[in-house]
Amino acid sequence: MFPLDAENKTMVTSTNRLIDKVKEVIQFESGVFIAIRKDKKINWETDFLPVTEEDEGLQHPFADIEIRAFDYSYFEISGMDFEVEKKILKHLE
């Protein structure tokens, strides 16, 4: 649903680009969305990117939140900050 590069992957490297891209999508089949503080500099290893079918918990050491979308039917959110968890839960109730 997003344009793919030569390795058949799509990387969105800014929040604004992600917001623009997801507005074009009705529903995700699968994917991992990683939220990392803007002040962190990340050198992504494209051979070891997070995957949807992984064990529970955060896959990236700098992640504050990870959202995994599965087969159009559900998603799961992982994180370590209980204040953020409360804010998310408030919107899902």
Side-chain angles (χ1 to χ4, degrees):
M1 59 193 72
F2 295 151
L4 301 175
D5 63 17
E7 295 178 359
N8 209 25
K9 297 178 184 175
T10 300
M11 288 192 68
V12 178
T13 56
S14 76
T15 301
N16 291 335
R17 285 199 52 172
L18 176 62
I19 291 168
D20 290 341
K21 292 289 184 190
V22 298
K23 286 179 180 178
E24 302 170 14
V25 178
I26 295 171
Q27 192 172 9
F28 287 93
E29 176 182 8
S30 66
V32 180
F33 299 87
I34 302 171
I36 297 174
R37 296 182 192 280
K38 286 184 177 183
D39 60 345
K40 294 276 187 185
K41 176 67 177 149
I42 306 299
N43 292 319
W44 294 100
E45 288 207 29
T46 56
D47 292 336
F48 300 103
L49 291 175
V51 294
T52 304
E53 296 79 15
E54 190 61 56
D55 293 334
E56 288 186 23
L58 299 173
Q59 297 181 60
H60 194 284
F62 293 141
D64 291 310
I65 298 172
E66 290 182 6
I67 302 171
R68 298 184 208 170
F70 295 90
D71 69 14
Y72 299 117
S73 59
Y74 71 97
F75 62 91
E76 63 185 24
I77 302 172
S78 298
M80 298 298 289
D81 188 328
F82 292 111
E83 291 302 314
V84 172
E85 177 184 350
K86 284 192 258 183
K87 289 178 184 178
I88 292 170
L89 289 174
K90 185 172 101 174
H91 293 285
L92 295 176
E93 292 176 345

